[in-house]
Amino acid sequence: MGDAIYSQLAKKIPCRIYAPIGSFHELLPYLIRRLLENGANNSFVHKIAGKDFDIDEILKNSLDFGTQNPPPLPENIYHKWKNSSGFDLGNLWELDRIKNKLRDFADGYWRAFSLIDGEEKIGIKPQITNEPANINRNIGDSSTANENHIAEAVAAAEKGFREWSVTPVEKRAACLEKLADLLEENKFELIPLCMREAGKTLADSIAEVREAADYCRYYAHQARRILVSPQILPGPAGEHNELRLMPRGIFLCISPWNFPLAIFLGQITAAIAAGNSVIAKPAEQTPLISHFTVRLMQKAGIPENVVQLLLGSGEEIGAALVTNPKISGVVFTGSTETARVINSALAAKNGPIVPLIAETGGQNAMIIDSSALLEQTADDIVKSAFGSSGQRCSSLRVAYIQEEIADELMELLRGILADFKVKNTMEFDADCGPVIDVAAQKMLFSYVKEMRKKAKIIFDGEKISTEKNGWFVAPYIFEIGSICELQREIFGPILHVVRFKSKDLDKIIDDINSTDFGLTLGIQTRIETRAEYIASRVNAGNCYVNRTQIGAVVGVQPFGGEKLSGTGFKAGGPNYLLRFLTERTYTANTAAIGGDVNLLG
Amino acid sequence: MGDAIYSQLAKKIPCRIYAPIGSFHELLPYLIRRLLENGANNSFVHKIAGKDFDIDEILKNSLDFGTQNPPPLPENIYHKWKNSSGFDLGNLWELDRIKNKLRDFADGYWRAFSLIDGEEKIGIKPQITNEPANINRNIGDSSTANENHIAEAVAAAEKGFREWSVTPVEKRAACLEKLADLLEENKFELIPLCMREAGKTLADSIAEVREAADYCRYYAHQARRILVSPQILPGPAGEHNELRLMPRGIFLCISPWNFPLAIFLGQITAAIAAGNSVIAKPAEQTPLISHFTVRLMQKAGIPENVVQLLLGSGEEIGAALVTNPKISGVVFTGSTETARVINSALAAKNGPIVPLIAETGGQNAMIIDSSALLEQTADDIVKSAFGSSGQRCSSLRVAYIQEEIADELMELLRGILADFKVKNTMEFDADCGPVIDVAAQKMLFSYVKEMRKKAKIIFDGEKISTEKNGWFVAPYIFEIGSICELQREIFGPILHVVRFKSKDLDKIIDDINSTDFGLTLGIQTRIETRAEYIASRVNAGNCYVNRTQIGAVVGVQPFGGEKLSGTGFKAGGPNYLLRFLTERTYTANTAAIGGDVNLLG
């Protein structure tokens, strides 16, 4: 059907004829896609069938349109805040450039201390940090805080709060934006630090730095939006009413090792954008990144008493901080069990009810119906379940696959995994690195052993060879009967798959909801109403259709779950700062001091 | 200085010459006010001193301006939601009309039951309601819920949630607006019910009905504002991102007797505007109003399974509901101590962290400096401390008076109280009625006895005669040294006054903050910077300058405290509904189903 138009096109612009090649099986969907495309109202094939068409209009070079109407540059796509800068990892020259840059820190050694009012504190026990990917390799050391440090940190943070809370919003926002710039300027040290201390891949480490910078700029934008001016409320003549948002005091920020830079900074930047001071207790697995980052904050102009860093374990340092009466709020990202312990400790303490902003685990499902594009689905499953060694709270744990396509999709998954590389991520072609520590590795191996007895193995991680000098765990896929068989979240590269019949869709939605978690949900379907139907019924904080279910972007996919998975509001969302603030009204009887001048207008 | 202008004015419009009369003491402030007024840029006295002035412009009749630019009608002053209708209580004809209307319910008798899915439930024990103003007078009866009712109510509310949560926002909002209309249509029954069951004055009872109607319309407006459309978030081309706000489930609403209509309905309307279902547990002192109101909700079209009413005590019914695993959120208004108990019970239960929206007590101060207008201040103090028999969480408890004006102000207070009427509010000239019950009366009498020993009496309530057949407590004023001497909130008509020296302002602010409460704050000063200074330093949710510190209006003075006084967000404020909702994101890879049609635009 293209002959007529081709004869005209070929005269005016360079043309290419192409012939799709595929098996009989793929023919029908291909033809339908072409029919839909060519039958669309705005298709040129449709237009030339009409009586009045302008051949020049149809033959317009679309490149000219793009040149005349250039899309925004990557840094400007969010309009209201600057997007962080990334790399084109598909570009081999770019990759080579990164490799060279990272070489500067190949023998890096980092030291970490608790930081109180900017001062380095020597703690009780020195702790050596070895690479999880190479346990013989020592990359730094740190010392944990002692009891005295807690009181000192609280005193410094109290002073910090008094000063920072009355610092103009614009100045606080500018400090955060400066911090974002410093993160980007220091990315070639931060990236290898993430790769080596946390065992992250290059792509994941770049994403860490980007997310951290995005948080800085996004919360600076949000602070300006809601804090610069009070909200004027209506009222009768002669009365002036304002709603003011005020910082709360000292926030305790307890962050996890799986996003040692992004979540660590996300919590802190939200708290300080709102005008609070902070005591940060990062995960004991990743002290080096946190120390480095707090130093950057100080370089960015954030006064030293605004953010105190206390290194140590949750049991010792974290627990003592939670019950401290001077703490006005707690932000926690980590396990559901720890969130519960913190919540109980907060409820047991005297004094005001302290807000707890908790972001915890999930038992995340993906529902794949028979209309899904299988190649894309297989790729999204592998990235969602095995990316970052499955060590994201958003990671896919249970893929529900409609029975008609189940065998074929599993075959594709096996195909991708056959070539999956689990190794030291300093080799850039690693698909994933190690898990965080020996405890995690042991737990996962023991789970695999247990599941070998209970479930059908779809992919056996033993097929992938891994080094023995790191905490590596290869991906596994087990087939089970229902998400309800799982007792808890398994934080690692273990995927469960379940076959389902189309008629049982409501049943599996109920099963997913019955876990009482509600973090992420993946949907793969080419039927939009089906996606909407599932999304509206599954209780999950973040729902992703026809893509991976990981990698939420600040301001784009505000992140956070419901029920057992979190308290809200969503990090990186428009309402998050509100939880770090308290509301005050200010009402003045303007008539009492000589009348309401506004009436003259 | 008015001769020249008067000679011209008198020719054109009716003029009046007036002569202020007063003592020497008042002369200087009067002259200064006139000088400020006449010296202002927009004063005609100033204008005629210039060269180019338009005599016709200056002589314009200001009544014409008002006729040509009419101010909005009272019902339209908020623009975005309709204001509730009030009465002009200064108009004696209007008062007579109200009296006649109220006579219809002079012998009213009301019955109350728990209501589950609209069905009246016979409970374990019948309870007789006598008027607190006349304990010999029986105005109704009620029966308290039993344990089975709890399970039934939860089951009904679960069903209610499934249906109501997917009811269009517009329909939910329309039901609330209909409810507001029904409240106003039924005000001549609701007003005497508030007067007789809760011992409120006519003015307070009218305010109750108005506040309840305002909540309905304000939350309907807010629901439309934030729930009709999801928020579209930015993102890269080929991806569609939405932030959706979803209801949480069943809310438990535990409301107090001091606003048996307004707070009862305020909690419920917020929860249901957001799409939740409700189990309401009103105070055991005021079952009749709550039953009547839930029936009105059903008449307004709110489905019967959306709001269940369970009558009974906090210890029995309330406690069992709080720990029920199906409850997704709790709204509580009442004592700080009970809020703490609820918070601990919630933290101890398994399952998700349940949001608690608590609005509790205060130790509310007013700071009066020597520039305050004393007559107005005295009036504001009496209304704030003794209005509603001091039974508002916002009531003034401690007035800090600058020493230079302390004696004079206390004399004015004694003067007002000499004529203060404490009696059955069905006599419309009552300044206040009884306290709620015998327990409250006993507690207050015992406190007065204790304070007689410890403090200097400024006004002795024994000077006011009260009936013995009701729970009446007259106003008392005690002088003390500091707010820090008070151990707890005393919920009744007892005011404490403290003299302070101007130089000690920061000290008294610290003292007020040291109570750890933070609800209302009154400021009386004619120096604007002083008001701002005090307001910015005292931790209080609602600050009022040169007026009473009670009577927050929905949407105008969003209400709620901080620290021991509450959790936020403020009731009747723009962020309140957010606490009844959870956030979800929906991300679709639009490129996966044939491309991003938005790009064509």
Side-chain angles (χ1 to χ4, degrees):
Chain A
M1 58 191 158
D3 285 354
I5 188 96
Y6 175 69
S7 67
Q8 295 300 312
L9 272 174
K11 287 181 205 160
K12 302 219 177 187
I13 50 172
C15 278
R16 173 181 295 163
I17 299 180
Y18 76 100
I21 295 173
S23 67
F24 179 76
H25 177 74
E26 284 135 6
L27 179 62
L28 191 62
Y30 174 78
L31 280 178
I32 287 175
R33 283 207 295 280
R34 285 292 81 80
L35 273 170
L36 285 171
E37 224 171 84
N38 295 340
N41 280 344
N42 50 10
S43 154
F44 69 84
V45 179
H46 183 89
K47 282 182 183 166
I48 56 173
K51 262 188 266 177
D52 308 308
F53 70 91
D54 178 353
I55 185 72
D56 290 323
E57 178 67 26
I58 289 174
L59 293 183
K60 248 190 202 164
N61 189 337
S62 55
L63 200 61
D64 291 343
F65 177 84
T67 317
Q68 285 151 25
N69 305 277
L73 290 174
E75 69 178 43
N76 297 329
I77 63 169
Y78 303 137
H79 305 295
K80 291 180 177 166
W81 66 97
K82 189 179 156 193
N83 186 16
S84 56
S85 66
F87 295 102
D88 179 2
L89 293 182
N91 179 331
L92 294 180
W93 292 334
E94 180 105 332
L95 259 185
D96 268 347
R97 189 173 71 92
I98 299 172
K99 270 188 206 175
N100 283 330
K101 288 277 195 181
L102 297 189
R103 210 162 281 154
D104 294 349
F105 295 97
D107 300 310
Y109 189 88
W110 293 272
R111 306 201 69 187
F113 298 92
S114 294
L115 291 169
I116 298 173
D117 200 4
E119 209 179 297
E120 295 188 347
K121 297 288 175 182
I122 309 290
I124 22 179
K125 39 190 174 189
Q127 189 186 306
I128 301 302
T129 297
N130 293 323
E131 285 187 5
N134 184 350
I135 54 178
N136 303 318
R137 179 135 179 188
N138 170 220
I139 56 163
D141 61 66
S142 58
S143 74
T144 54
N146 63 35
E147 262 185 48
N148 294 339
H149 294 155
I150 293 180
E152 285 176 42
V154 168
E158 275 194 291
K159 185 151 180 295
F161 176 68
R162 278 197 297 278
E163 295 161 9
W164 186 246
S165 59
V166 294
T167 301
V169 177
E170 181 48 47
K171 188 169 172 206
R172 299 197 306 241
C175 286
L176 290 176
E177 286 168 340
K178 176 70 184 164
L179 176 58
D181 295 344
L182 286 178
L183 287 164
E184 295 188 331
E185 282 170 28
N186 286 273
K187 64 186 166 193
F188 289 114
E189 181 160 3
L190 282 164
I191 290 168
L193 193 43
C194 288
M195 293 171 79
R196 298 178 62 194
E197 188 176 24
K200 298 208 146 204
T201 61
L202 173 65
D204 282 351
S205 302
I206 291 170
E208 280 272 309
V209 178
R210 292 194 60 184
E211 188 174 347
D214 284 340
Y215 275 128
C216 296
R217 293 178 180 132
Y218 183 74
Y219 292 140
H221 160 64
Q222 291 296 337
R224 286 197 189 97
R225 182 176 72 84
I226 65 175
L227 297 178
V228 169
S229 306
Q231 191 172 344
I232 306 299
L233 299 177
E239 190 172 272
H240 175 75
N241 294 290
E242 288 184 2
L243 182 65
R244 301 172 174 182
L245 295 168
M246 311 295 294
R248 288 177 168 268
I250 306 174
F251 265 83
L252 171 61
C253 297
I254 305 177
S255 52
W257 49 261
N258 67 336
F259 287 90
L261 178 58
I263 294 182
F264 175 73
L265 259 193
Q267 294 179 343
I268 297 174
T269 51
I272 65 178
N276 302 286
S277 66
V278 161
I279 298 177
K281 210 299 284 171
E284 46 188 333
Q285 290 89 342
T286 50
L288 308 180
I289 295 170
S290 63
H291 177 101
F292 187 90
T293 311
V294 173
R295 282 300 192 208
L296 280 191
M297 284 184 212
Q298 292 160 0
K299 282 183 198 143
I302 297 163
E304 295 186 333
N305 59 14
V306 173
V307 181
Q308 331 306 319
L309 177 71
L310 288 187
L311 303 179
S313 72
E315 293 76 20
E316 288 167 60
I317 300 301
L321 282 165
V322 166
T323 52
N324 189 290
K326 303 282 188 180
I327 299 294
S328 298
V330 179
V331 203
F332 169 76
T333 305
S335 76
T336 303
E337 198 36 59
T338 307
R340 199 195 304 268
V341 170
I342 293 173
N343 193 38
S344 301
L346 290 176
K349 85 175 178 181
N350 278 329
I353 293 175
V354 173
L356 168 62
I357 306 163
E359 188 52 62
T360 58
Q363 191 67 288
N364 309 305
M366 181 184 276
I367 298 177
I368 303 135
D369 80 1
S370 60
S371 76
L373 183 60
L374 295 190
E375 292 77 4
Q376 177 191 295
T377 301
D379 201 44
D380 290 343
I381 289 177
V382 169
K383 286 194 179 115
S384 299
F386 306 123
S388 315
S389 298
Q391 294 178 121
R392 294 175 182 245
C393 39
S394 54
S395 293
L396 169 61
R397 308 292 177 205
V398 184
Y400 272 89
I401 310 171
Q402 198 176 317
E403 56 181 2
E404 288 85 349
I405 53 157
D407 287 329
E408 195 180 346
L409 182 56
M410 291 182 197
E411 198 48 47
L412 283 173
L413 291 173
R414 275 188 288 257
I416 298 177
L417 291 179
D419 195 34
F420 198 84
K421 293 178 201 67
V422 181
K423 58 182 177 182
N424 191 319
T425 58
M426 294 303 282
E427 297 176 54
F428 287 3
D429 64 339
D431 289 297
C432 76
V435 297
I436 190 66
D437 56 21
V438 63
Q441 191 194 41
K442 269 191 184 162
M443 178 277 291
L444 291 165
F445 282 164
S446 128
Y447 185 74
V448 166
K449 204 170 152 190
E450 180 192 331
M451 288 304 282
R452 279 184 193 280
K453 292 178 212 150
K454 288 197 207 163
K456 184 174 160 193
I457 294 208
I458 302 300
F459 182 82
D460 190 335
E462 287 198 356
K463 289 185 184 158
I464 296 177
S465 67
T466 54
E467 292 285 332
K468 296 302 160 215
N469 61 344
W471 313 125
F472 295 101
V473 179
Y476 288 81
I477 304 181
F478 295 103
E479 184 173 345
I480 59 174
S482 157
I483 198 170
C484 303
E485 293 172 21
L486 304 177
Q487 307 297 314
R488 60 189 197 283
E489 180 190 25
I490 298 297
F491 211 69
I494 318 275
L495 173 68
H496 309 86
V497 292
V498 183
R499 285 168 208 257
F500 75 98
K501 289 183 201 303
S502 178
K503 71 175 173 59
D504 293 336
L505 182 60
D506 285 329
K507 167 84 177 62
I508 64 170
I509 289 172
D510 288 346
D511 286 351
I512 293 167
N513 286 337
S514 77
T515 64
D516 258 353
F517 284 99
L519 195 47
T520 69
L521 169 72
I523 300 172
Q524 299 276 349
T525 177
R526 273 179 283 187
I527 304 168
E528 273 187 86
T529 51
R530 177 86 48 88
E532 245 319 324
Y533 179 87
I534 296 171
S536 71
R537 274 160 181 76
V538 176
N539 304 324
N542 288 59
C543 172
Y544 299 92
V545 181
N546 292 331
R547 46 155 284 172
T548 64
Q549 67 196 84
I550 56 169
V553 172
V554 174
V556 176
Q557 288 104 12
F559 188 74
E562 52 199 66
K563 300 199 292 176
L564 285 180
S565 297
T567 59
F569 294 119
K570 284 175 181 292
N575 296 319
Y576 194 56
L577 287 198
L578 289 175
R579 272 304 257 162
F580 294 82
L581 293 158
T582 184
E583 297 175 310
R584 287 189 193 155
T585 59
Y586 181 85
T587 295
N589 174 6
T590 48
I593 45 168
D596 186 348
V597 286
N598 291 320
L599 286 178
L600 293 171
Chain B
M1 58 192 158
D3 284 354
I5 188 98
Y6 175 68
S7 66
Q8 295 300 312
L9 272 175
K11 288 181 204 160
K12 303 217 178 188
I13 51 173
C15 278
R16 174 180 295 163
I17 298 182
Y18 76 100
I21 294 174
S23 67
F24 180 76
H25 178 76
E26 284 136 6
L27 179 63
L28 191 62
Y30 174 78
L31 281 177
I32 286 175
R33 283 205 297 279
R34 286 291 82 80
L35 273 171
L36 285 173
E37 224 171 83
N38 295 340
N41 280 345
N42 50 10
S43 155
F44 68 85
V45 178
H46 183 89
K47 281 181 182 165
I48 56 172
K51 263 188 265 177
D52 309 309
F53 70 92
D54 178 352
I55 185 73
D56 290 323
E57 178 67 27
I58 287 173
L59 293 182
K60 249 190 203 165
N61 190 336
S62 55
L63 201 59
D64 291 343
F65 178 83
T67 317
Q68 285 153 23
N69 305 277
L73 289 173
E75 68 177 45
N76 297 329
I77 63 169
Y78 303 137
H79 304 296
K80 290 180 178 163
W81 67 96
K82 190 179 154 192
N83 186 14
S84 57
S85 67
F87 295 100
D88 179 1
L89 292 183
N91 180 330
L92 294 181
W93 292 335
E94 180 105 331
L95 258 186
D96 269 346
R97 190 173 71 92
I98 299 172
K99 270 189 205 172
N100 283 330
K101 287 276 194 182
L102 297 189
R103 210 162 282 154
D104 294 348
F105 294 97
D107 299 312
Y109 189 89
W110 293 273
R111 308 201 67 186
F113 299 91
S114 295
L115 291 169
I116 298 172
D117 200 2
E119 209 178 297
E120 295 187 345
K121 297 287 175 183
I122 310 290
I124 21 179
K125 37 188 176 190
Q127 189 185 304
I128 303 300
T129 297
N130 293 323
E131 284 187 4
N134 183 350
I135 55 179
N136 303 319
R137 177 135 181 189
N138 171 220
I139 56 164
D141 61 65
S142 58
S143 74
T144 54
N146 63 34
E147 261 186 48
N148 293 338
H149 295 154
I150 293 179
E152 284 176 42
V154 168
E158 275 194 290
K159 187 152 177 294
F161 176 68
R162 278 196 298 278
E163 295 160 9
W164 186 245
S165 59
V166 295
T167 300
V169 177
E170 181 48 46
K171 190 171 171 204
R172 299 198 306 241
C175 286
L176 289 175
E177 286 167 340
K178 175 71 186 161
L179 176 57
D181 295 342
L182 286 178
L183 287 164
E184 295 188 333
E185 282 169 30
N186 286 273
K187 65 184 165 195
F188 288 113
E189 182 161 2
L190 281 164
I191 289 167
L193 192 44
C194 288
M195 293 171 79
R196 299 179 60 195
E197 187 176 25
K200 298 208 149 204
T201 61
L202 174 64
D204 282 352
S205 302
I206 292 170
E208 279 270 312
V209 178
R210 292 194 59 183
E211 188 175 348
D214 284 340
Y215 275 128
C216 295
R217 292 177 180 132
Y218 183 74
Y219 292 140
H221 159 65
Q222 290 296 336
R224 286 197 189 97
R225 183 176 70 85
I226 65 174
L227 296 178
V228 169
S229 306
Q231 191 172 346
I232 306 299
L233 299 176
E239 190 172 89
H240 175 75
N241 293 291
E242 286 183 3
L243 183 64
R244 301 172 175 182
L245 295 167
M246 310 296 292
R248 285 177 170 269
I250 306 175
F251 265 83
L252 171 60
C253 297
I254 304 178
S255 52
W257 49 260
N258 67 337
F259 287 91
L261 179 58
I263 294 182
F264 176 74
L265 258 193
Q267 294 179 344
I268 297 174
T269 50
I272 66 178
N276 302 287
S277 66
V278 160
I279 298 177
K281 210 299 283 171
E284 45 188 332
Q285 290 90 341
T286 50
L288 308 180
I289 296 170
S290 63
H291 178 101
F292 187 90
T293 312
V294 173
R295 282 300 191 208
L296 280 190
M297 284 184 212
Q298 292 161 0
K299 283 184 197 142
I302 296 162
E304 296 187 331
N305 59 14
V306 172
V307 180
Q308 331 306 318
L309 177 71
L310 289 187
L311 302 179
S313 71
E315 293 75 21
E316 287 167 62
I317 300 300
L321 282 165
V322 166
T323 53
N324 188 291
K326 302 282 187 179
I327 299 295
S328 299
V330 179
V331 203
F332 169 75
T333 305
S335 75
T336 302
E337 198 36 60
T338 307
R340 200 195 303 267
V341 170
I342 292 173
N343 193 38
S344 300
L346 289 176
K349 86 176 178 181
N350 277 328
I353 293 174
V354 172
L356 168 62
I357 305 162
E359 189 50 63
T360 57
Q363 192 67 285
N364 309 306
M366 181 185 274
I367 298 177
I368 303 136
D369 79 3
S370 59
S371 76
L373 183 59
L374 295 191
E375 292 77 5
Q376 177 189 294
T377 302
D379 201 43
D380 290 344
I381 289 177
V382 168
K383 287 194 178 115
S384 300
F386 306 124
S388 316
S389 298
Q391 295 179 120
R392 294 175 183 245
C393 38
S394 55
S395 292
L396 169 60
R397 307 293 176 204
V398 184
Y400 271 90
I401 310 172
Q402 198 177 317
E403 57 182 0
E404 289 85 350
I405 53 158
D407 288 331
E408 193 179 348
L409 182 55
M410 289 181 198
E411 198 48 47
L412 283 172
L413 290 173
R414 276 189 287 257
I416 298 177
L417 291 179
D419 195 33
F420 198 83
K421 292 177 200 69
V422 180
K423 58 182 178 181
N424 191 320
T425 58
M426 292 305 281
E427 296 175 54
F428 287 3
D429 63 340
D431 289 298
C432 74
V435 297
I436 189 66
D437 56 19
V438 63
Q441 192 194 41
K442 272 193 182 158
M443 179 277 291
L444 291 165
F445 283 163
S446 127
Y447 185 72
V448 165
K449 204 169 153 191
E450 180 191 330
M451 288 306 281
R452 280 185 192 281
K453 291 178 212 149
K454 287 195 206 166
K456 183 173 162 194
I457 293 208
I458 302 301
F459 181 82
D460 190 336
E462 287 196 357
K463 290 185 184 158
I464 297 178
S465 69
T466 54
E467 292 284 333
K468 296 301 163 218
N469 61 344
W471 314 124
F472 295 101
V473 178
Y476 288 81
I477 304 181
F478 295 102
E479 184 173 346
I480 59 174
S482 157
I483 197 170
C484 304
E485 293 172 21
L486 304 177
Q487 306 300 312
R488 59 188 198 284
E489 180 190 24
I490 299 298
F491 211 68
I494 319 274
L495 174 67
H496 310 85
V497 293
V498 182
R499 286 168 208 258
F500 76 97
K501 289 183 201 301
S502 178
K503 68 176 175 57
D504 292 335
L505 183 61
D506 285 329
K507 167 83 176 63
I508 66 169
I509 289 172
D510 288 345
D511 286 351
I512 293 167
N513 286 338
S514 77
T515 65
D516 258 353
F517 285 100
L519 195 46
T520 69
L521 168 72
I523 300 172
Q524 298 276 351
T525 177
R526 275 180 281 186
I527 304 167
E528 273 187 87
T529 51
R530 177 88 47 90
E532 247 315 324
Y533 179 86
I534 297 171
S536 71
R537 273 162 182 74
V538 176
N539 303 324
N542 287 59
C543 171
Y544 299 93
V545 182
N546 294 329
R547 46 155 282 171
T548 64
Q549 66 197 87
I550 56 168
V553 172
V554 174
V556 176
Q557 288 104 10
F559 188 74
E562 52 200 66
K563 301 198 292 175
L564 284 180
S565 296
T567 58
F569 295 119
K570 284 175 181 293
N575 296 319
Y576 194 57
L577 287 198
L578 288 176
R579 271 304 257 165
F580 294 82
L581 293 159
T582 184
E583 298 175 309
R584 287 190 193 155
T585 59
Y586 181 85
T587 295
N589 173 6
T590 48
I593 46 167
D596 186 346
V597 286
N598 291 321
L599 285 179
L600 293 170

